[in-house]
Amino acid sequence: MPTAVMPAAILSGRPSGSPDAAGLSGSMPGQESGAEEARAGVSVRCRVSRAASLLQIAASLIFIPQAAAVSVAVGAIAAGSDAREAIWPALLVAVLGVARAVLDAVGSRMAFLSARAALSDLRTRAVIALSAGSPLDTARPPSGRAASVIAEQAEAVVPYLARFRPARLRATVVPMVILACVFAVSWVAALVMLIAAPLIPLFMALIGWRAKEASERQLGEMGSLNGFLLDRLRGIATIRSLGAVDATARRVRAEAESLRRRTMAVLRIAFLSSAVLELFAALGVAMVAVYVGFHLLGQIGFGAWGGKLGLGEGLFVLLLAPAFFEPLRELSAAWHDRAAGEAAIEALENLSRDRTSFPGTQEDATTLPSAAPAVPGVRIEGLRFRHPGRSLLTFDGFDLAVAPGEHVALLAPSGVGKSTLLALIAGLARPQGGRIMIGDAPMDDANAAALRQHMAWIGQTPHIFAGTLAGNVSLGRPGISSDDVADALGAMELAHIRDRAPAAIGESGAGLSGGEALRLALARVAATPETGLILADEPTAHLDSATASGIAASLLTLAQGRTLLVATHDPALAALMGRVVRLDASSLEAAA
């Protein structure tokens, strides 16, 4: 899966956090649903899981001939037969025991592997959905919560698929087969089992509703705590400067205590359910044992088809009674896995809800016909757009034409719509009307992936990854050699820090100044020659005049032979462009 949609740098800079960039939501143009393929993958894994369940069922049913062989041997010895006659039943029991162990081991292994594969499919769906959503989508889940769901909470899916689902199928099939075998010997013993068995799933259902609700609350609390910790770690410098360390520590302690209480509530329900269900299973076995014992002692003379149970028949029923309840006990033990697993699956599905993937990976997009020339122009006709939750239109009938290779500044105060316009041109938001043409191709679902191959986005706060300069320029994209990286760093005046150790660049660009971080973002574009359209969102914001002047010069050098649109409220930067388009706050009409 690609790390960026625009090969030159959607990661060059995150979109501006200014008011005119906020509030965008929904999917981007150029997306198609990858959910069907992912669901098909999960369906295949479920079929594999059913095959594993069948092996485990076969392993459980092997105990029936084992119990029959033991019963026949013990009955024969009790009747006075030679003990040597028990050799063959003993060998049969040993062979069946080995076969049972092998089938159970193979089935468990298959169930585990298929569960891991299904979890990978679900995680892929969630990651694709998150990467497909617009970076400007205010409805995107917090990073900490998404990371918690995908990396931590999702692990609960494995025991749910590997333990609970096979256990549920065994609990459906095995007891019925054992019940039929017992019924063939004693209808009373079968009746006792039939009465006791439904109590276990009944109480599992009653307790399961509460367990699932508690698990969902616990997982939600865990995600919120992770998101809270991530936000506080990102702002630790601000917290220290404002003297809020103690208050933050108390808040973390309170959140952790709340999570502890919810976790203990889930564990209490799990222990309670196990105790109750073990009690019913033990009572069922005890009632069967009481009946068989009194029948063999002659105190009960009914219930056996032959009139009276022999020692072998009674032993056969006694051996099968625990085996009858064993699948139900295993199901009760895995019932908590069901609650946690379904809650985790629902959390993963929530990450994918109302989101779709791009119409192909970056590799797939290269097979599409080029939807834009090397240096495209931009034409906007009758653009209409409204931010979700707002009554007024941000753009109403807006028109703009940018010639190929032209450098245009979108000049306006903050909050008017500069960043929003760049987002619409890049396909990061969907307009309500009008059309946007990149070259001769419209920015729509059919062309968006190919069009983005010729674009780069440079924001005022580029994201820098912990690692080397070279890694931050190439971003793992194929086709970018070390020479390309070196040339890009040199062109953007970063050669003096090219040989720094990997530790010199920390998370979020620690070790780099604001100007160096922006030059690194520009170097990402410089390393990608196929970029023909550059969208720059406030590239000189929050910089001193000297640094801003250097960044502007580097941007113009990078934009030579390319189309450049710069959203800014800096008149000095706008004056360097070939044309200035002022966005009027009242009419939002373009004027040269």
Side-chain angles (χ1 to χ4, degrees):
M1 188 169 57
T3 57
V5 176
M6 301 180 194
I10 187 67
L11 295 179
S12 294
R14 288 178 294 186
S16 169
S18 60
D20 55 6
L24 298 179
S25 63
S27 58
M28 290 181 262
Q31 300 174 1
E32 67 177 6
S33 176
E36 292 185 4
E37 293 183 4
R39 280 194 291 267
V42 174
S43 178
V44 170
R45 302 304 177 189
C46 291
R47 289 197 294 271
V48 175
S49 179
R50 284 195 290 271
S53 299
L54 292 177
L55 289 178
Q56 292 176 319
I57 289 173
S60 299
L61 293 179
I62 285 177
F63 182 73
I64 296 176
Q66 281 184 301
V70 171
S71 302
V72 169
V74 172
I77 293 174
S81 299
D82 193 337
R84 287 177 296 182
E85 295 184 6
I87 294 178
W88 289 109
L91 290 175
L92 179 60
V93 170
V95 171
L96 291 177
V98 172
R100 182 183 182 188
V102 171
L103 288 177
D104 187 64
V106 172
S108 298
R109 182 65 176 170
M110 288 179 59
F112 174 78
L113 293 178
S114 64
R116 295 300 311 182
L119 174 58
S120 296
D121 291 338
L122 290 171
R123 276 175 166 158
T124 299
R125 281 183 61 191
V127 171
I128 289 176
L130 288 173
S131 64
S134 170
L136 306 182
D137 184 0
T138 57
R140 287 169 65 88
S143 300
R145 180 173 298 177
S148 175
V149 170
I150 294 173
E152 184 179 7
Q153 300 174 24
E155 288 296 324
V157 173
V158 174
Y160 167 65
L161 296 178
R163 291 184 55 196
F164 173 76
R165 295 186 63 169
R168 182 175 60 184
L169 190 56
R170 286 201 306 274
T172 303
V173 176
V174 174
M176 298 304 297
V177 176
I178 293 178
L179 185 66
C181 295
V182 172
F183 183 77
V185 177
S186 171
W187 61 269
V188 170
L191 183 62
V192 171
M193 293 180 181
L194 190 61
I195 293 174
L199 296 176
I200 294 179
L202 174 62
F203 275 87
M204 281 194 299
L206 294 176
I207 296 175
W209 293 333
R210 182 71 180 275
K212 185 175 184 295
E213 180 181 347
S215 294
E216 289 175 347
R217 289 198 299 267
Q218 191 254 358
L219 292 178
E221 189 81 13
M222 186 181 300
S224 298
L225 179 58
N226 285 337
F228 175 80
L229 289 175
L230 180 61
D231 289 340
R232 296 314 182 269
L233 288 174
R234 285 174 173 170
I236 191 66
T238 303
I239 292 173
R240 285 179 175 175
S241 64
L242 296 177
V245 174
D246 292 339
T248 302
R250 287 192 295 270
R251 174 73 182 278
V252 171
R253 188 178 299 112
E255 294 286 344
E257 178 63 21
S258 176
L259 177 61
R260 184 193 67 80
R261 288 195 300 268
R262 293 189 184 277
T263 302
M264 294 305 299
V266 174
L267 293 177
R268 280 196 299 269
I269 295 174
F271 288 134
L272 175 63
S273 63
S274 297
V276 171
L277 300 174
E278 285 286 346
L279 173 63
F280 282 108
L283 289 176
V285 173
M287 286 189 291
V288 173
V290 167
Y291 165 74
V292 172
F294 278 101
H295 192 99
L296 293 177
L297 292 175
Q299 300 298 318
I300 297 178
F302 62 90
W305 296 110
K308 182 174 176 58
L309 291 177
L311 177 61
E313 294 171 328
L315 181 60
F316 180 67
V317 172
L318 287 176
L319 289 174
L320 290 186
F324 174 82
F325 290 101
E326 181 181 2
L328 299 175
R329 294 171 59 209
E330 292 178 353
L331 182 61
S332 68
W335 197 256
H336 176 68
D337 295 331
R338 168 190 175 272
E342 289 184 347
I345 290 176
E346 184 173 351
L348 287 169
E349 291 293 338
N350 285 337
L351 294 182
S352 306
R353 189 163 296 166
D354 297 330
R355 299 176 189 275
T356 54
S357 61
F358 290 110
T361 64
Q362 184 169 325
E363 291 79 5
D364 295 334
T366 59
T367 64
L368 297 174
S370 177
V375 182
V378 177
R379 190 169 73 256
I380 301 174
E381 300 173 351
L383 179 65
R384 299 179 72 252
F385 178 78
R386 177 189 290 112
H387 289 278
R390 299 185 184 180
S391 58
L392 297 177
L393 286 167
T394 304
F395 296 102
D396 188 5
F398 179 78
D399 297 317
L400 176 65
V402 179
E406 188 178 9
H407 297 173
V408 175
L410 304 175
L411 185 64
S414 296
V416 172
K418 305 183 303 298
S419 298
T420 301
L421 182 59
L422 291 186
L424 289 165
I425 293 172
L428 301 181
R430 195 181 301 275
Q432 279 81 50
R435 67 172 183 168
I436 299 174
M437 304 292 293
I438 308 297
D440 295 327
M443 172 57 74
D444 56 18
D445 293 349
N447 298 319
L451 290 172
R452 290 193 186 100
Q453 303 307 304
H454 303 273
M455 295 184 190
W457 178 294
I458 301 172
Q460 58 180 297
T461 55
H463 184 81
I464 308 300
F465 297 92
T468 63
L469 279 175
N472 270 281
V473 172
S474 65
L475 297 176
R477 294 171 290 170
I480 298 180
S481 65
S482 57
D483 292 338
D484 295 331
V485 172
D487 293 342
L489 291 174
M492 294 300 107
E493 301 180 9
L494 291 174
H496 62 288
I497 57 173
R498 184 188 308 166
D499 299 325
R500 284 186 181 180
I505 303 178
E507 189 173 353
S508 298
L512 296 177
S513 67
E516 289 173 339
L518 278 168
R519 290 185 183 278
L520 186 54
L522 295 175
R524 292 171 176 171
V525 183
T528 315
E530 63 266 23
T531 301
L533 173 60
I534 300 175
L535 307 174
D537 186 13
E538 299 282 9
T540 60
H542 312 303
L543 297 177
D544 60 83
S545 57
T547 304
S549 177
I551 293 297
S554 297
L555 178 61
L556 288 174
T557 300
L558 178 65
Q560 290 181 3
R562 291 168 168 154
T563 305
L564 173 64
L565 274 79
V566 179
T568 184
H569 59 268
D570 181 4
L573 176 61
L576 299 176
M577 300 296 110
R579 179 161 62 105
V580 177
V581 173
R582 299 182 182 275
L583 299 181
D584 185 85
S586 59
S587 63
L588 290 173
E589 294 180 352

